[in-house]
Amino acid sequence: MLDPKDLRRSSPSLDRRRLLKGLGVTAFGGSFAGVARAETEHHSVADAPVANAASPLDSVPYLGIHQAGIVNARPANGMVASFDVLAKDAGELETLFRLLTARIAFLTVGGPVPVLDPKLPPADSGLLGPTVRPDNLTITISLGASLFDDRPWLAPLKPKHLQRMTRFPNDALDADICHGDLTIQICANTQDTTIHALRDIIKASSSQMILKWKQEGNVPVITPGSDGRAESARNFLGFRDGSANPNSSDGAEMDRVVWVGPEDGEPAWAVGGSYQAVRIIRNFVERWDRTPFGEQERIIGRTKISGAPLDRRDGSEFDVPDYAGDPEGKATPHDAHIRLANARDAAASTNTILRRPFNYSNGVTRSGQLDQGLLFICYQADLERGFLTVQQKLNGEPLEEYIKPVGGGYFYTLPGIRDAADYVGSPLIAAVRGA
Amino acid sequence: MRISSFASASALALILSSGAFAQEASLDLVEPIADYKIYVSENVAKLVEDTTAFVAAVKAGEVDKAKELFAPTRISYEAIEPIAELFSDLDVAIDSRADDYEKAEADPEFPGFHRIEYGLWEKNSTEGLEPVADKLLADVKELEGRIASLTFPPEKVVGGAAVLMEEVAATKISGEEDRYSHTDLWDFRGNFDGARKIVELVRPLIADKEADFLKTVDANFDTVDTTLAKYKDGDGYVTYDKLTEDDRKVLAAAVNTLAEDLSTLRGKLGLD
């Protein structure tokens, strides 16, 4: 049995389900405080942020072999902003990367903003006051296929699976919210912090890139249950989303699922990076809310209240459905969303992706319906084996009547900023120069 | 008592010090502002002259001639927009767009250049435009009169360089200004010329202290010139839809950067 004291120093390789199971038992032993603390330090990407637990002093280190903002738990607010890049040569691209790194270093660590002569425009928008605090901010830089394709000096270094997003049968892609040369994923406890970061970066990079589109979203915060454990957040369809996500605190699992390694046949500069798929998926929520409860559950493949699989309704969202025991699809229909997406067999385990989505709510459509949905973001070491394969399996699913992907794109998330002297994208620039 | 006399004393000190500062800045600016007033006067005179011909063509039902005169007539208005905008009633009457009206193009209130542009290009007709044309000419003449008697506020003149770039960045780079005729590149020419003129007039005041700043600003103006030159057609420019996506990006970045840089021009000249 797990001791809460050990949980507090929980090792990254600890299996999440074993941990949760252990917590259930420990809870009866009465160590609630220690357990709850352990859980907040042991977030999985899919977990909802814990209510009243966020602090402006929360910080995520921006240095490391991988960029921040991928395997750490989602804070309550997220955004993807896509830009066109002006850089005409390696020198200009390096200048942009160094500038982004400098902004990342300031914004994610925090500190006082410069005070200028009041006759000049202020150096900072002032949204966060005179002192910027980190507020759990992560800023993650990824590159689109167009950045490579439009530049002969960069094209030979394009990651092998990086491609322009093309239409799936249920898509209605709006060119105004698709693709881009460079995306910035910005996540933080509060929306003020994400917007402050975006405005800071736009102001600093005006001569180097142009904003193309952005989508903001959030994750509902949840008060942990009496056992202190976090649950997966719900999407705007009212279902828990991300229950089957891989354990993001398992380093070996992340190496397999998320991070590009030396053996993956990618350009050497790309090692330590990841493929990012972004999809802006509108949900037809009025129609969904007029759909019978039982049908909703059969379409998704989970119970709506707890997220338990349909073949064990009294279980939890973390129980694994037994499809082998349900070959006719009586409990979980064969075309249920989660069964199509992940058949829970050996073959499906090669298609695992790390989902890191945010709910979005934009306004009202011309038809007078709510423009809401999911800012779907996922990471994987192999875009073909990951998102593209999973989405192909989902083509034609009954859920399509209620969702419409309208935007997004595929991007390559750069390897990490290794130390304070390094800058994001330095291996790519070195590769251009070495070629 | 003590507190209030202390407060008024510091208020007085504040007024004195800022007044002294403003005066110092204004003295240096006397010549550039006088020169700018000449520039604006010349442009507004040209605007009246060109609008007279444009309006005559509209009223004579000469659609093709009116179309030909539309963009070149506007260019002198675009160059002096920071001053023209000081008279907001006239700016609305002369240069507002369909989106400023609840019923858009169908709104009877929709006036000025863009109302006529809509008729000429979308309807290929001057029908019903006569009163709009008469009003436009009257408004342009009124503008000329008001400018003649205007004392140019230094901060508006110097700040005008940035204002022009903000306008392009916010509502022009998308091609929404001249949405029926697609003559936006002419307007850009006017906006950039107007902004650059202001920089040229104050250049001697900051040339020593702000050499790097001026170098960056000049480089961005040059980028704009080089880019626009590719789209030259006779005395004017091809339609905005001919602009390649790459060149649109180059222009957008140059405009955003000029807006950032020129937003500091007032402060650099000590204007509050």
Side-chain angles (χ1 to χ4, degrees):
Chain A
M1 204 180 93
L2 293 160
D3 183 314
K5 280 203 271 323
D6 294 325
L7 290 177
R8 224 165 291 146
R9 307 186 299 269
S10 53
S11 105
S13 62
L14 211 57
D15 177 76
R16 180 169 180 243
R17 279 188 198 89
R18 210 182 68 213
L19 167 69
L20 290 164
K21 208 171 149 197
L23 286 171
V25 181
T26 313
F28 289 106
S31 306
F32 290 128
V35 172
R37 176 115 184 93
E39 257 307 292
T40 55
E41 285 177 8
H42 195 86
H43 266 309
S44 173
V45 159
D47 295 347
V50 177
N52 303 319
S55 153
L57 299 177
D58 292 343
S59 73
V60 181
Y62 76 94
L63 297 175
I65 56 169
H66 310 299
Q67 284 194 75
I70 299 173
V71 297
N72 53 295
R74 289 166 303 171
N77 290 274
M79 174 201 289
V80 173
S82 172
F83 293 82
D84 287 325
V85 169
L86 274 287
K88 294 186 297 290
D89 54 41
E92 290 183 0
L93 192 58
E94 179 183 341
T95 303
L96 173 62
F97 287 163
R98 285 187 185 275
L99 174 105
L100 290 171
T101 305
R103 298 326 299 157
I104 291 170
F106 171 70
L107 293 164
T108 61
V109 174
V113 302
V115 178
L116 304 181
D117 181 335
K119 288 191 287 297
L120 291 172
D124 184 89
S125 62
L127 299 189
L128 304 180
T131 303
V132 172
R133 292 186 287 184
D135 201 31
N136 235 343
L137 177 68
T138 59
I139 298 173
T140 313
I141 310 292
S142 309
L143 306 179
S146 55
L147 184 81
F148 295 88
D149 295 343
D150 297 346
R151 290 165 180 79
W153 49 274
L154 202 55
L157 293 165
K158 184 165 87 164
K160 68 176 178 182
H161 300 300
L162 188 59
Q163 56 198 279
R164 186 181 164 89
M165 180 174 70
T166 53
R167 183 180 167 274
F168 287 96
N170 188 44
D171 291 4
L173 300 178
D174 173 353
D176 289 343
I177 48 173
C178 287
H179 319 304
D181 292 336
L182 182 149
T183 60
I184 306 184
Q185 178 197 268
I186 306 176
C187 306
N189 288 339
T190 63
Q191 189 190 34
D192 307 75
T193 299
T194 59
I195 290 176
H196 174 264
L198 178 68
R199 281 173 55 175
D200 180 285
I201 290 170
I202 287 173
K203 188 174 178 65
S205 64
S206 65
S207 65
Q208 291 153 297
M209 52 185 200
I210 307 158
L211 184 62
K212 189 175 164 70
W213 55 266
K214 80 148 168 60
Q215 179 63 59
E216 290 175 71
N218 56 67
V219 188
V221 297
I222 289 184
T223 307
S226 57
D227 58 358
R229 81 187 218 184
E231 299 169 304
S232 296
R234 291 181 193 270
N235 57 29
F236 275 157
L237 300 179
F239 279 78
R240 294 192 194 286
D241 198 341
S243 305
N245 241 355
N247 178 8
S248 56
S249 41
D250 179 339
E253 177 79 339
M254 292 300 98
D255 281 344
R256 183 181 75 82
V257 171
V258 173
W259 306 122
V260 164
E263 315 297 319
D264 288 329
E266 294 286 357
W269 71 265
V271 170
S274 185
Y275 284 94
Q276 177 193 57
V278 178
R279 302 269 287 171
I280 300 171
I281 304 172
R282 200 185 144 205
N283 293 172
F284 299 117
V285 294
E286 287 89 348
R287 184 172 180 182
W288 182 250
D289 290 345
R290 293 189 279 256
T291 301
F293 188 85
E295 190 177 336
Q296 290 186 5
E297 292 191 330
R298 288 192 296 277
I299 287 171
I300 298 294
R302 288 189 182 280
T303 61
K304 194 169 185 181
I305 303 297
S306 70
L310 295 179
D311 59 3
R312 57 192 73 185
R313 297 183 147 269
D314 55 349
S316 88
E317 60 169 312
F318 304 111
D319 287 324
V320 177
D322 178 17
Y323 296 141
D326 180 24
E328 290 168 39
K330 283 186 176 152
T332 311
H334 286 288
D335 58 5
H337 179 75
I338 70 161
R339 191 164 184 168
L340 285 174
N342 183 354
R344 305 282 185 168
D345 54 18
S349 75
T350 65
N351 309 125
T352 308
I353 57 180
L354 180 71
R355 284 169 291 156
R356 211 169 180 280
F358 294 87
N359 298 334
Y360 76 81
S361 182
N362 283 350
V364 180
T365 69
R366 293 176 71 170
S367 311
Q369 293 202 321
L370 292 168
D371 183 3
Q372 300 190 327
L374 190 70
L375 170 60
F376 174 93
I377 305 168
C378 75
Y379 293 92
Q380 57 259 287
D382 181 335
L383 185 67
E384 302 272 358
R385 235 175 42 202
F387 175 75
L388 292 174
T389 301
V390 174
Q391 182 54 50
Q392 273 145 22
K393 293 183 195 174
L394 290 172
N395 285 344
E397 62 171 330
L399 182 60
E400 285 186 348
E401 299 233 351
Y402 304 90
I403 63 172
K404 186 60 74 181
V406 292
Y410 306 144
F411 306 94
Y412 193 79
T413 302
L414 292 166
I417 307 166
R418 283 157 300 176
D419 53 53
D422 192 18
Y423 63 92
V424 71
S426 63
L428 174 58
I429 298 298
V432 175
R433 298 236 161 87
Chain B
M1 269 318 275
R2 247 195 101 180
I3 290 169
S4 102
S5 68
F6 173 75
S8 49
S10 27
L12 186 65
L14 200 69
I15 291 163
L16 284 175
S17 67
S18 66
F21 200 90
Q23 205 175 11
E24 188 192 317
S26 299
L27 281 177
D28 281 345
L29 282 165
V30 166
E31 197 185 320
I33 287 175
D35 288 346
Y36 186 63
K37 187 156 186 180
I38 294 169
Y39 173 79
V40 171
S41 303
E42 285 171 357
N43 269 282
V44 78
K46 178 93 167 73
L47 176 67
V48 170
E49 184 191 325
D50 291 346
T51 306
T52 304
F54 174 61
V55 161
V58 171
K59 291 177 73 176
E62 297 170 314
V63 173
D64 287 344
K65 187 173 179 198
K67 281 183 176 176
E68 212 172 283
L69 295 177
F70 173 77
T73 300
R74 288 177 52 74
I75 204 164
S76 35
Y77 185 82
E78 293 295 323
I80 59 163
E81 233 175 344
I83 295 304
E85 279 177 359
L86 295 179
F87 309 105
S88 60
D89 57 329
L90 291 179
D91 189 40
V92 165
I94 294 169
D95 200 32
S96 59
R97 304 180 191 172
D99 342 84
D100 299 331
Y101 300 89
E102 195 170 346
K103 293 178 191 149
E105 284 87 354
D107 203 310
E109 300 283 308
F110 177 34
F113 273 119
H114 294 304
R115 172 68 187 88
I116 297 173
E117 180 198 7
Y118 172 68
L120 292 176
W121 269 273
E122 295 293 306
K123 304 264 164 94
N124 204 31
S125 158
T126 57
E127 200 189 323
L129 293 179
E130 208 166 309
V132 183
D134 281 337
K135 177 74 168 38
L136 176 65
L137 185 57
D139 289 331
V140 164
K141 287 179 173 167
E142 169 75 13
L143 177 66
E144 186 180 33
R146 289 203 212 170
I147 287 176
S149 55
L150 175 74
T151 306
F152 280 33
E155 72 282 1
K156 295 286 181 198
V157 172
V158 176
V163 167
L164 284 161
M165 295 301 97
E166 294 291 0
E167 297 250 337
V168 178
T171 60
K172 295 187 181 184
I173 196 73
S174 55
E176 68 194 85
E177 168 102 47
D178 302 312
R179 69 190 65 171
Y180 320 110
S181 63
H182 306 294
T183 53
D184 304 81
L185 294 178
W186 294 72
D187 284 28
F188 281 21
R189 180 79 271 159
N191 293 147
F192 285 114
D193 285 352
R196 198 160 196 175
K197 180 72 184 178
I198 295 168
V199 174
E200 289 314 315
L201 290 175
V202 300
R203 180 184 297 272
L205 305 183
I206 53 173
D208 294 339
K209 226 171 62 186
E210 301 285 355
D212 287 347
F213 167 81
L214 286 168
K215 204 173 145 192
T216 311
V217 167
D218 288 343
N220 277 305
F221 275 128
D222 291 346
T223 300
V224 170
D225 285 346
T226 315
T227 310
L228 285 183
K230 292 199 230 169
Y231 298 94
K232 204 110 178 59
D233 179 27
D235 289 337
Y237 293 93
V238 298
T239 51
Y240 196 62
D241 50 300
K242 306 280 196 308
L243 191 71
T244 64
E245 186 55 17
D246 278 352
D247 282 333
R248 194 193 63 78
K249 289 178 200 169
V250 167
L251 277 181
V255 167
N256 290 340
T257 308
L258 282 167
E260 281 289 340
D261 289 341
L262 295 178
S263 71
T264 66
L265 195 57
R266 279 170 57 183
K268 287 184 194 305
L269 286 159
L271 292 167
D272 216 344

